[in-house]
Structures are given as C-alpha cells and as structure tokens.
Amino acid sequence: MSKGQQNRNTDKGLTPPFTNEQWITLLSDSTNEKAVEELRRLLVRGLKPALYKYVDQELDQFVEDVAQDGILKILDNLESFRGESKFMTWAMKVAVSEGLTELRRKRWDNVSIEAFKGSGSDGESGEVRSNDFSTEELSPESSTAQKMAVAKIEQMIDELLTERQRTALKALLIEGLPSFMVAKQMNTNRNNLYKLLHDARKKLKNELEIQGIDPDEMLRQLSE
Amino acid sequence: MKLSINNVKKMLRVVQATRDVEINCEECYNKIEKFVDIELSGKSAEEAMPLVEEHLQRCSECREEYEVLLSAVSEFKDP
C-alpha cells in the first residue's frame, strides 16, 4: 500500500478506490470525514480539467467551491443514488450541475432581463429583412417560392401555436436564450418549458404532414 | 411572427427532428450518469439509450452538462 493510500484510509479500514456499496456506507456515516475528504479530492481532480475552459480566473477556488457545494448536495441526496452507474459518475454529475448552474447564473445575470424583453413573440430580432431574399442569383420563381415558404411557416406558427408557445419558441430557437433563463422569465421550469416546446414542435410537424409539405424539400428550396 | 429565412430553416430542422416520444431535461439528468458510464466502457451509449442521445442533440444545456461530466469522469478512466 502506498503512502498516499495509507493517508486516505478511512476509519472503517477501507482503501480507495471504493465500490458503490462502500461509498454509500462510508458517506452515510456523518462522522467519517476521511470519506468526505476522498470524495472532495476526486471531485476536484475531475472538475478542474473539465471546467477550465468555462472559468476565466481563479479556477482552483471555483472548483473547490463547486466541490464543497456538490458534496453537500451529494450527502443530502445519497438515497436517490440508484446504483445504475458508478457512484463517482453520479456524484460528479451532481457537482457538474452545481458548477454549470453557477457559471450560467453569472454569465446571464446581467443580460437576462433585457435579452428576454427583446424576445417576445412579436419582437424585432426575428423579423424578415429585405436582404434575406437575395434577388441577384435567384430566378423570380425561386424568390417567390421562398417568400411563400416563409409565409407558410409564419402562418402555421401564428394560427396553431399559443402565445406562450410562440414566446418560448422565439426565445429558445431564434434568440438562442438558455432554457433556465426563459423558464424563469416565463414563471415555469425547464421540464415544463421543454413540454411546451415539444407540443409546439409536434403541432407544426403534424400540420406539415397534413398539408403534404416535405421539410427536406422546403429546406432545399430555402437554401437555393 | 415574422421570420428570416435562416430562422425558418432552423425551425424546420427542429420540427423535422421532433419525435412523438421524447424525454425532458429532468429525465435526461436522471439517466445521464449511466449513459456516460456506457460510453466510457467503450460500448455504444447512443444505441443503448437512444432517447437520451436524442435529447442531447436537441437540448444545448443538457449537452453541455453531458460533455463536462464526460470530461470530468474521463479523468478516472483506466489508461
């Protein structure tokens, strides 16, 4: 046994790497600080190379904070580990989620409200601009066909989708805003937002089928 | 709603990829560790868990979480 391994021995005499069952046993004992320290060490080891490109400065401190927050959440949710993966993969998932949530919050905090204000279903950013339709290379027929295709899709969206679906569609697909932010602004959560958009996509897909419109053909037409 | 050609194309691609049955972000989150383990074992996670794979193609935030998790856990993979 190496010196490092000896130092990482737990009070129960177990030595890393632990099995899933050993992790649960060790972490269920709230007095087992060595197991928590081993978990922290592994989280930091994985998080640092995985998050370095997302963090501008003080990566070490950020990763330590994420590991600490992650550990609290992991310990609070130990019973939800179903054993369908390696324990460390599950634990790392919890920590990664903590880290990315914090990074996204920082990234979007300053722009969130203004960005969303501009993403209402009738906002300007998705509007047709005159140079969208190139008349230099297209035949008049092709140009007309493109305009009709765009008008058809606009009509479907206006007639089939609810105001809420249009707002979500525009914010997520056109403005490219993150779903956590759109969900917050729409007073819902990411899951309900996903369902709202899934229902909208299904409505549009069904309508295309009913009208006999082949999306591939329409895409080809719009790419001419 | 007024749309540019590029946004109509984006919309069509998304609609085209829509399935009757899809999993949401929470369901993806609950399965992603298994997906990552399968991938790191050298098997096809895409074949084993197609609904997760499809969700990752559609949802940029879940995709980002998956990529960071895969990178982090790869640190522990045996050489």
mmCIF file of all heavy atoms in Angstrom, chain A residues 1-27:
data_model
loop_
_atom_site.group_PDB
_atom_site.id
_atom_site.type_symbol
_atom_site.label_atom_id
_atom_site.label_comp_id
_atom_site.label_asym_id
_atom_site.label_seq_id
_atom_site.Cartn_x
_atom_site.Cartn_y
_atom_site.Cartn_z
ATOM 1 N N MET A 1 0.844 -1.199 0.000
ATOM 2 C CA MET A 1 0.000 0.000 0.000
ATOM 3 C C MET A 1 0.882 1.252 0.000
ATOM 4 O O MET A 1 1.832 1.361 0.758
ATOM 5 C CB MET A 1 -0.874 -0.024 1.264
ATOM 6 C CG MET A 1 -1.873 1.115 1.299
ATOM 7 S SD MET A 1 -2.796 1.156 2.866
ATOM 8 C CE MET A 1 -3.648 -0.407 2.825
ATOM 9 N N SER A 2 0.576 2.193 -0.884
ATOM 10 C CA SER A 2 1.388 3.400 -0.972
ATOM 11 C C SER A 2 1.115 4.312 0.214
ATOM 12 O O SER A 2 0.114 4.155 0.923
ATOM 13 C CB SER A 2 1.060 4.138 -2.265
ATOM 14 O OG SER A 2 -0.213 4.720 -2.150
ATOM 15 N N LYS A 3 2.048 5.295 0.385
ATOM 16 C CA LYS A 3 1.861 6.236 1.487
ATOM 17 C C LYS A 3 0.570 7.047 1.305
ATOM 18 O O LYS A 3 -0.173 7.308 2.246
ATOM 19 C CB LYS A 3 3.069 7.178 1.563
ATOM 20 C CG LYS A 3 3.155 7.916 2.874
ATOM 21 C CD LYS A 3 4.432 8.726 2.946
ATOM 22 C CE LYS A 3 4.488 9.511 4.256
ATOM 23 N NZ LYS A 3 5.667 10.358 4.318
ATOM 24 N N GLY A 4 0.299 7.405 0.025
ATOM 25 C CA GLY A 4 -0.920 8.168 -0.266
ATOM 26 C C GLY A 4 -2.161 7.376 0.093
ATOM 27 O O GLY A 4 -3.117 7.903 0.654
ATOM 28 N N GLN A 5 -2.102 6.082 -0.241
ATOM 29 C CA GLN A 5 -3.260 5.244 0.082
ATOM 30 C C GLN A 5 -3.443 5.112 1.587
ATOM 31 O O GLN A 5 -4.558 5.134 2.098
ATOM 32 C CB GLN A 5 -3.081 3.859 -0.529
ATOM 33 C CG GLN A 5 -3.462 3.806 -2.010
ATOM 34 C CD GLN A 5 -3.233 2.429 -2.584
ATOM 35 O OE1 GLN A 5 -2.193 1.830 -2.345
ATOM 36 N NE2 GLN A 5 -4.184 1.941 -3.336
ATOM 37 N N GLN A 6 -2.291 4.985 2.301
ATOM 38 C CA GLN A 6 -2.393 4.880 3.758
ATOM 39 C C GLN A 6 -3.047 6.133 4.331
ATOM 40 O O GLN A 6 -3.896 6.058 5.214
ATOM 41 C CB GLN A 6 -0.992 4.714 4.351
ATOM 42 C CG GLN A 6 -0.450 3.305 4.197
ATOM 43 C CD GLN A 6 0.991 3.176 4.670
ATOM 44 O OE1 GLN A 6 1.664 4.165 4.921
ATOM 45 N NE2 GLN A 6 1.445 1.950 4.772
ATOM 46 N N ASN A 7 -2.655 7.297 3.779
ATOM 47 C CA ASN A 7 -3.220 8.547 4.270
ATOM 48 C C ASN A 7 -4.708 8.638 3.991
ATOM 49 O O ASN A 7 -5.424 9.355 4.662
ATOM 50 C CB ASN A 7 -2.510 9.748 3.631
ATOM 51 C CG ASN A 7 -1.099 9.895 4.173
ATOM 52 O OD1 ASN A 7 -0.804 9.382 5.246
ATOM 53 N ND2 ASN A 7 -0.251 10.575 3.424
ATOM 54 N N ARG A 8 -5.155 7.917 2.932
ATOM 55 C CA ARG A 8 -6.565 8.014 2.562
ATOM 56 C C ARG A 8 -7.385 6.875 3.173
ATOM 57 O O ARG A 8 -8.553 6.722 2.859
ATOM 58 C CB ARG A 8 -6.704 8.018 1.036
ATOM 59 C CG ARG A 8 -6.030 9.211 0.375
ATOM 60 C CD ARG A 8 -6.650 9.521 -0.962
ATOM 61 N NE ARG A 8 -6.562 8.439 -1.901
ATOM 62 C CZ ARG A 8 -5.518 8.229 -2.692
ATOM 63 N NH1 ARG A 8 -4.466 9.018 -2.627
ATOM 64 N NH2 ARG A 8 -5.525 7.249 -3.548
ATOM 65 N N ASN A 9 -6.764 6.070 4.038
ATOM 66 C CA ASN A 9 -7.521 5.034 4.716
ATOM 67 C C ASN A 9 -8.663 5.656 5.509
ATOM 68 O O ASN A 9 -8.499 6.694 6.123
ATOM 69 C CB ASN A 9 -6.618 4.262 5.701
ATOM 70 C CG ASN A 9 -6.193 2.932 5.121
ATOM 71 O OD1 ASN A 9 -6.727 2.490 4.117
ATOM 72 N ND2 ASN A 9 -5.213 2.309 5.738
ATOM 73 N N THR A 10 -9.789 5.021 5.478
ATOM 74 C CA THR A 10 -10.912 5.547 6.245
ATOM 75 C C THR A 10 -10.953 4.904 7.607
ATOM 76 O O THR A 10 -10.231 3.933 7.873
ATOM 77 C CB THR A 10 -12.232 5.223 5.533
ATOM 78 O OG1 THR A 10 -12.386 3.819 5.540
ATOM 79 C CG2 THR A 10 -12.231 5.767 4.120
ATOM 80 N N ASP A 11 -11.778 5.410 8.463
ATOM 81 C CA ASP A 11 -11.898 4.847 9.805
ATOM 82 C C ASP A 11 -12.382 3.404 9.770
ATOM 83 O O ASP A 11 -12.150 2.640 10.691
ATOM 84 C CB ASP A 11 -12.864 5.686 10.641
ATOM 85 C CG ASP A 11 -12.264 7.057 10.913
ATOM 86 O OD1 ASP A 11 -11.024 7.181 10.925
ATOM 87 O OD2 ASP A 11 -13.047 7.993 11.088
ATOM 88 N N LYS A 12 -13.077 3.031 8.706
ATOM 89 C CA LYS A 12 -13.573 1.657 8.620
ATOM 90 C C LYS A 12 -12.535 0.738 7.994
ATOM 91 O O LYS A 12 -12.831 -0.412 7.685
ATOM 92 C CB LYS A 12 -14.872 1.620 7.799
ATOM 93 C CG LYS A 12 -16.033 2.334 8.496
ATOM 94 C CD LYS A 12 -17.306 2.209 7.700
ATOM 95 C CE LYS A 12 -18.433 3.005 8.316
ATOM 96 N NZ LYS A 12 -18.802 2.610 9.668
ATOM 97 N N GLY A 13 -11.342 1.249 7.767
ATOM 98 C CA GLY A 13 -10.265 0.420 7.243
ATOM 99 C C GLY A 13 -10.337 0.194 5.751
ATOM 100 O O GLY A 13 -9.589 -0.605 5.202
ATOM 101 N N LEU A 14 -11.231 0.878 5.080
ATOM 102 C CA LEU A 14 -11.362 0.709 3.629
ATOM 103 C C LEU A 14 -10.405 1.645 2.909
ATOM 104 O O LEU A 14 -10.103 2.737 3.378
ATOM 105 C CB LEU A 14 -12.799 1.006 3.195
ATOM 106 C CG LEU A 14 -13.863 0.105 3.808
ATOM 107 C CD1 LEU A 14 -15.240 0.627 3.480
ATOM 108 C CD2 LEU A 14 -13.701 -1.325 3.304
ATOM 109 N N THR A 15 -9.923 1.166 1.768
ATOM 110 C CA THR A 15 -8.968 1.957 0.996
ATOM 111 C C THR A 15 -9.518 2.210 -0.402
ATOM 112 O O THR A 15 -10.048 1.286 -1.028
ATOM 113 C CB THR A 15 -7.639 1.175 0.869
ATOM 114 O OG1 THR A 15 -7.198 0.831 2.174
ATOM 115 C CG2 THR A 15 -6.589 2.016 0.183
ATOM 116 N N PRO A 16 -9.410 3.448 -0.883
ATOM 117 C CA PRO A 16 -9.873 3.735 -2.257
ATOM 118 C C PRO A 16 -9.101 2.899 -3.272
ATOM 119 O O PRO A 16 -7.956 2.554 -3.002
ATOM 120 C CB PRO A 16 -9.569 5.225 -2.426
ATOM 121 C CG PRO A 16 -9.293 5.747 -1.058
ATOM 122 C CD PRO A 16 -8.819 4.609 -0.231
ATOM 123 N N PRO A 17 -9.650 2.634 -4.436
ATOM 124 C CA PRO A 17 -10.987 3.063 -4.870
ATOM 125 C C PRO A 17 -12.105 2.240 -4.227
ATOM 126 O O PRO A 17 -11.960 1.022 -4.074
ATOM 127 C CB PRO A 17 -10.947 2.828 -6.383
ATOM 128 C CG PRO A 17 -9.950 1.727 -6.572
ATOM 129 C CD PRO A 17 -8.925 1.893 -5.491
ATOM 130 N N PHE A 18 -13.188 2.920 -3.885
ATOM 131 C CA PHE A 18 -14.311 2.276 -3.215
ATOM 132 C C PHE A 18 -15.313 1.727 -4.227
ATOM 133 O O PHE A 18 -15.467 2.273 -5.319
ATOM 134 C CB PHE A 18 -15.038 3.269 -2.307
ATOM 135 C CG PHE A 18 -14.156 3.871 -1.247
ATOM 136 C CD1 PHE A 18 -14.133 5.240 -1.063
ATOM 137 C CD2 PHE A 18 -13.373 3.075 -0.422
ATOM 138 C CE1 PHE A 18 -13.332 5.810 -0.085
ATOM 139 C CE2 PHE A 18 -12.564 3.643 0.562
ATOM 140 C CZ PHE A 18 -12.544 5.011 0.719
ATOM 141 N N THR A 19 -16.005 0.689 -3.796
ATOM 142 C CA THR A 19 -17.142 0.207 -4.589
ATOM 143 C C THR A 19 -18.330 1.124 -4.296
ATOM 144 O O THR A 19 -18.300 1.914 -3.342
ATOM 145 C CB THR A 19 -17.529 -1.229 -4.199
ATOM 146 O OG1 THR A 19 -17.980 -1.203 -2.831
ATOM 147 C CG2 THR A 19 -16.358 -2.189 -4.331
ATOM 148 N N ASN A 20 -19.384 0.968 -5.082
ATOM 149 C CA ASN A 20 -20.594 1.771 -4.832
ATOM 150 C C ASN A 20 -21.099 1.565 -3.410
ATOM 151 O O ASN A 20 -21.444 2.515 -2.712
ATOM 152 C CB ASN A 20 -21.698 1.373 -5.820
ATOM 153 C CG ASN A 20 -21.439 1.936 -7.216
ATOM 154 O OD1 ASN A 20 -20.447 2.633 -7.435
ATOM 155 N ND2 ASN A 20 -22.333 1.625 -8.141
ATOM 156 N N GLU A 21 -21.156 0.305 -3.007
ATOM 157 C CA GLU A 21 -21.693 -0.003 -1.674
ATOM 158 C C GLU A 21 -20.815 0.618 -0.592
ATOM 159 O O GLU A 21 -21.319 1.127 0.419
ATOM 160 C CB GLU A 21 -21.782 -1.528 -1.472
ATOM 161 C CG GLU A 21 -22.831 -2.228 -2.317
ATOM 162 C CD GLU A 21 -22.446 -2.314 -3.797
ATOM 163 O OE1 GLU A 21 -21.245 -2.197 -4.130
ATOM 164 O OE2 GLU A 21 -23.358 -2.459 -4.630
ATOM 165 N N GLN A 22 -19.489 0.569 -0.791
ATOM 166 C CA GLN A 22 -18.580 1.157 0.199
ATOM 167 C C GLN A 22 -18.772 2.669 0.301
ATOM 168 O O GLN A 22 -18.784 3.233 1.392
ATOM 169 C CB GLN A 22 -17.126 0.815 -0.161
ATOM 170 C CG GLN A 22 -16.777 -0.640 0.121
ATOM 171 C CD GLN A 22 -15.416 -1.037 -0.440
ATOM 172 O OE1 GLN A 22 -14.881 -0.415 -1.369
ATOM 173 N NE2 GLN A 22 -14.841 -2.104 0.112
ATOM 174 N N TRP A 23 -18.929 3.325 -0.850
ATOM 175 C CA TRP A 23 -19.154 4.770 -0.822
ATOM 176 C C TRP A 23 -20.393 5.110 -0.001
ATOM 177 O O TRP A 23 -20.377 6.006 0.842
ATOM 178 C CB TRP A 23 -19.353 5.314 -2.247
ATOM 179 C CG TRP A 23 -18.111 5.752 -2.960
ATOM 180 C CD1 TRP A 23 -17.617 5.250 -4.118
ATOM 181 C CD2 TRP A 23 -17.207 6.802 -2.585
ATOM 182 N NE1 TRP A 23 -16.467 5.908 -4.484
ATOM 183 C CE2 TRP A 23 -16.195 6.865 -3.563
ATOM 184 C CE3 TRP A 23 -17.154 7.688 -1.506
ATOM 185 C CZ2 TRP A 23 -15.143 7.785 -3.495
ATOM 186 C CZ3 TRP A 23 -16.113 8.607 -1.433
ATOM 187 C CH2 TRP A 23 -15.123 8.644 -2.420
ATOM 188 N N ILE A 24 -21.477 4.386 -0.276
ATOM 189 C CA ILE A 24 -22.733 4.676 0.432
ATOM 190 C C ILE A 24 -22.566 4.442 1.928
ATOM 191 O O ILE A 24 -22.989 5.262 2.753
ATOM 192 C CB ILE A 24 -23.890 3.794 -0.124
ATOM 193 C CG1 ILE A 24 -24.143 4.132 -1.605
ATOM 194 C CG2 ILE A 24 -25.160 4.013 0.689
ATOM 195 C CD1 ILE A 24 -24.552 5.553 -1.878
ATOM 196 N N THR A 25 -21.923 3.333 2.266
ATOM 197 C CA THR A 25 -21.720 3.026 3.693
ATOM 198 C C THR A 25 -20.888 4.127 4.357
ATOM 199 O O THR A 25 -21.236 4.635 5.428
ATOM 200 C CB THR A 25 -20.981 1.676 3.836
ATOM 201 O OG1 THR A 25 -21.763 0.666 3.182
ATOM 202 C CG2 THR A 25 -20.796 1.304 5.303
ATOM 203 N N LEU A 26 -19.793 4.483 3.722
ATOM 204 C CA LEU A 26 -18.877 5.462 4.320
ATOM 205 C C LEU A 26 -19.518 6.850 4.431
ATOM 206 O O LEU A 26 -19.400 7.518 5.455
ATOM 207 C CB LEU A 26 -17.589 5.557 3.479
ATOM 208 C CG LEU A 26 -16.700 4.309 3.510
ATOM 209 C CD1 LEU A 26 -15.630 4.398 2.419
ATOM 210 C CD2 LEU A 26 -16.052 4.157 4.876
ATOM 211 N N LEU A 27 -20.208 7.265 3.371
ATOM 212 C CA LEU A 27 -20.767 8.625 3.386
ATOM 213 C C LEU A 27 -22.040 8.717 4.223
ATOM 214 O O LEU A 27 -22.442 9.816 4.626
ATOM 215 C CB LEU A 27 -21.042 9.096 1.952
ATOM 216 C CG LEU A 27 -19.786 9.303 1.094
ATOM 217 C CD1 LEU A 27 -20.170 9.638 -0.353
ATOM 218 C CD2 LEU A 27 -18.902 10.415 1.648
#
